Amino acid sequence: MGHDVDVLIVGAGISGIDAAYHLQTTCPNKSYAILEARDTLGGTWDLFRYPGIRSDSDMYTLGFPFRPWTNGMAIADGDSILEYIRETAEAYGIDRHIRYRHRVEAASWHDGRWHLEVTADGVAHTMSCKFLFLCSGYYDYDEGYTPELAGRERFRGAVIHPQHWPEDLDYAGTRIVVIGSGATAVTLVPELAKRAAHVTMLQRSPTYIMSRPARDPIADWLRKRLSTEQAYSLTRWKNVLLGALFYTYSRRFPEHAKKLLVGGVKRMVPNVDVEKHFTPRYNPWDQRLCLVPDADLFAALREGTVSVVTDEIDSFTETGIALKSGEQLEADIIVTATGLKLRRFGGLALTVDGTPVEIPKAMVYKGMMLSDVPNLAFAVGYTNASWTLKCDLTSRYVCRLVNHLDKHGFTEARPRRDPNMAEVPLLDFTSGYVQRAIKEFPRQGAKVPWKLYQNYPLDLFLIERSKLADGVLQFT
């Protein structure tokens, strides 16, 4: 593989593998390479190694649409997901296009190409491409978010962030406090409780938590009666539509949805003060809903191996945490499941025709391109559904666009922003990890094609079926 290719994909996680499949299938005459900063593929599913890591979306929608998920577990563990990604890359020869330990530092558009500054095994060199496709996600792989915690240096035990879980950590028989109430915390807590003496989930405020079976009984029924591909496709669409329906219901009737979610928890943990510990102050889907398979967290609460404390931290002590209420939590290990740091485009610096791109001032076109930036797309999943659903739509659109450029002899496609278009934040989530970084991200507009709907069936029409030459995307 040379230094100059038609398409460069940055990132070898789920979205990067999906992009490569569609590119080599739909644009077989185009050369491509995948640049991966780490030394292996898998992205999120290789990075995170904490106990119990699993999907928070069902695998029939998180999986690739072109390669059925055949494992019986709909909510799958991280190792199974990583193996699925690896097998997919090998099955389609995508792994032969990946260049590991290649970090893209900057990209400059001029003379009808992107020119990239790349660090490979510590050595700087350049590459170029006609189209740049960023599939590197939106959070910082180097470190997670940990707030300032008073007295942390006084604690005599181990303080661990889940993003950097020690492989040799022996927590059997220990007392563990997990700070947090999001997806990572509700995954870690019941898993740690299997070996620890006791686990306390310490939260500043509650999160909406919903249980669902780890296996999908309808998917199991369909697999016995239909081909693998048919059963997978039907299950995928069943889950897409049910998810979209529940999200719409939650946003339109928030009080009803709140009663449904909180009522479900009350039935599973009658021994817990649900009003205090599992009734959030915000409406459903103002933040992402947390999923627990087979109600494992609630089972641990009933058994007494797990407890929940809703309070604020005053300071760390030598033996644990002192709370503002005056209560003391004794611990041998403290896990700071306090969230992620967002990082746009992996920290990549962009320049177009000699002018640096001010990303916070840019507007997002169709959820995948930047205003006035040519031949560049990025893959970002939904906040209210599976990551892969939106990324796959983006990959298919990019392939249509690449073929359109080739067919008509164009060298660039550039979304031109309407200067009168009203702006709104890219994401309307109230989650801390979003609010801390949203000012550094591009904006969205008030109407199509600049508005994000977070709705897969609608996007399928707006993105897949829409004309490329829509008057906004200009070709040269």
Side-chain angles (χ1 to χ4, degrees), residues 438-459:
I438 195 64
K439 291 182 180 179
E440 300 301 316
F441 281 71
R443 313 280 285 179
Q444 66 166 313
K447 61 181 181 179
V448 172
W450 306 100
K451 184 173 176 59
L452 306 180
Y453 284 99
Q454 301 293 340
N455 183 309
Y456 178 74
L458 180 59
D459 281 345

Side-chain angles (χ1 to χ4, degrees), residues 50 54 56 162 178-190 201-209 278 282 287-292 297 336-340 431 433:
Y50 59 79
R54 62 195 180 207
D56 65 349
V178 177
I179 303 172
S181 60
T184 302
V186 302
T187 298
L188 263 171
V189 166
M201 187 170 83
L202 172 60
Q203 58 183 13
R204 186 172 53 186
S205 59
T207 299
Y208 287 108
I209 301 177
F278 291 100
Y282 57 88
Q287 298 182 21
R288 192 174 172 96
L289 202 66
C290 285
L291 179 68
V292 294
L297 174 64
T336 55
T338 46
L340 305 168
S431 303
Y433 72 96

Side-chain angles (χ1 to χ4, degrees), residues 37-332:
R38 305 176 74 243
D39 58 7
T40 187
L41 58 75
T44 295
W45 302 106
D46 177 73
L47 175 69
F48 290 100
R49 301 295 183 88
Y50 59 79
I53 180 171
R54 62 195 180 207
S55 60
D56 65 349
S57 299
D58 68 275
M59 288 305 300
Y60 301 101
T61 57
L62 186 65
F64 301 111
F66 54 86
R67 185 176 176 83
W69 172 258
T70 57
N71 184 318
M73 302 301 289
I75 308 301
D77 64 276
D79 287 343
S80 297
I81 298 171
L82 183 57
E83 184 61 25
Y84 169 71
I85 298 171
R86 286 174 175 164
E87 288 178 352
T88 301
E90 292 172 3
Y92 295 99
I94 295 168
D95 56 333
R96 296 194 295 271
H97 292 262
I98 304 173
R99 306 185 192 185
Y100 295 110
R101 298 176 296 280
H102 278 58
R103 181 181 296 276
V104 182
E105 308 289 354
S108 175
W109 173 267
H110 58 86
D111 301 325
R113 297 183 72 88
W114 282 103
H115 301 265
L116 283 70
E117 297 175 16
V118 180
T119 301
D121 290 319
V123 178
H125 65 89
T126 60
M127 296 184 68
S128 77
C129 62
K130 295 178 181 178
F131 201 99
L132 181 59
F133 195 0
L134 306 178
C135 298
S136 49
Y138 56 54
Y139 62 82
D140 191 335
Y141 272 48
D142 296 329
E143 60 178 342
Y145 173 73
T146 302
E148 290 295 326
L149 298 168
R152 176 172 174 168
E153 70 284 352
R154 294 161 54 194
F155 180 59
R156 293 199 297 248
V159 180
I160 300 165
H161 193 285
Q163 191 163 324
H164 301 285
W165 194 270
E167 290 185 13
D168 58 351
L169 180 68
D170 182 9
Y171 58 87
T174 62
R175 299 163 299 174
I176 304 175
V177 173
V178 177
I179 303 172
S181 60
T184 302
V186 302
T187 298
L188 263 171
V189 166
E191 182 67 23
L192 294 175
K194 294 176 182 178
R195 295 175 56 200
H198 187 81
V199 181
T200 302
M201 187 170 83
L202 172 60
Q203 58 183 13
R204 186 172 53 186
S205 59
T207 299
Y208 287 108
I209 301 177
M210 182 173 67
S211 176
R212 66 182 295 179
R215 295 185 69 98
D216 188 325
I218 295 177
D220 290 343
W221 186 86
L222 288 171
R223 273 198 300 271
K224 293 176 182 177
R225 291 159 176 81
L226 301 173
S227 70
T228 300
E229 290 75 16
Q230 289 173 324
Y232 181 68
S233 179
L234 285 173
T235 304
R236 184 180 182 88
W237 268 108
K238 181 262 295 182
N239 291 351
V240 164
L241 295 175
L242 286 177
L245 183 64
F246 182 69
Y247 176 78
T248 302
Y249 160 75
S250 298
R251 302 305 282 172
R252 188 166 296 177
F253 307 106
E255 288 303 317
H256 291 182
K258 186 172 185 176
K259 288 179 181 178
L260 178 67
L261 292 166
V262 174
V265 177
K266 285 181 179 178
R267 289 191 294 273
M268 285 183 278
V269 283
N271 59 324
V272 173
D273 185 347
V274 173
E275 187 67 29
K276 180 178 180 181
H277 301 305
F278 291 100
T279 306
R281 296 188 291 265
Y282 57 88
N283 287 329
W285 283 113
D286 282 351
Q287 298 182 21
R288 192 174 172 96
L289 202 66
C290 285
L291 179 68
V292 294
D294 294 332
D296 58 359
L297 174 64
F298 304 124
L301 283 165
R302 290 195 303 271
E303 293 164 4
T305 56
V306 166
S307 59
V308 179
V309 174
T310 303
D311 205 333
E312 293 188 37
I313 296 173
D314 182 64
S315 69
F316 278 41
T317 67
E318 292 183 347
T319 59
I321 296 176
L323 303 176
K324 289 190 176 180
S325 64
E327 185 179 354
Q328 303 282 326
L329 297 180
E330 299 298 312
D332 304 301

Side-chain angles (χ1 to χ4, degrees), residues 355-411:
T355 302
V357 177
E358 296 183 73
I359 294 175
K361 293 183 179 180
M363 188 173 283
V364 172
Y365 173 81
K366 292 194 174 183
M368 66 179 77
M369 298 181 76
L370 294 175
S371 57
D372 302 312
V373 177
N375 293 29
L376 180 143
F378 56 91
V380 175
Y382 291 115
T383 57
N384 63 346
S386 160
W387 174 267
T388 312
L389 290 174
K390 179 61 184 295
C391 292
D392 185 73
L393 279 181
T394 300
S395 295
R396 285 149 59 181
Y397 181 89
V398 166
C399 291
R400 285 178 62 206
L401 184 55
V402 168
N403 283 335
H404 184 84
L405 289 167
D406 195 41
K407 179 180 178 180
H408 296 280
F410 295 128
T411 56

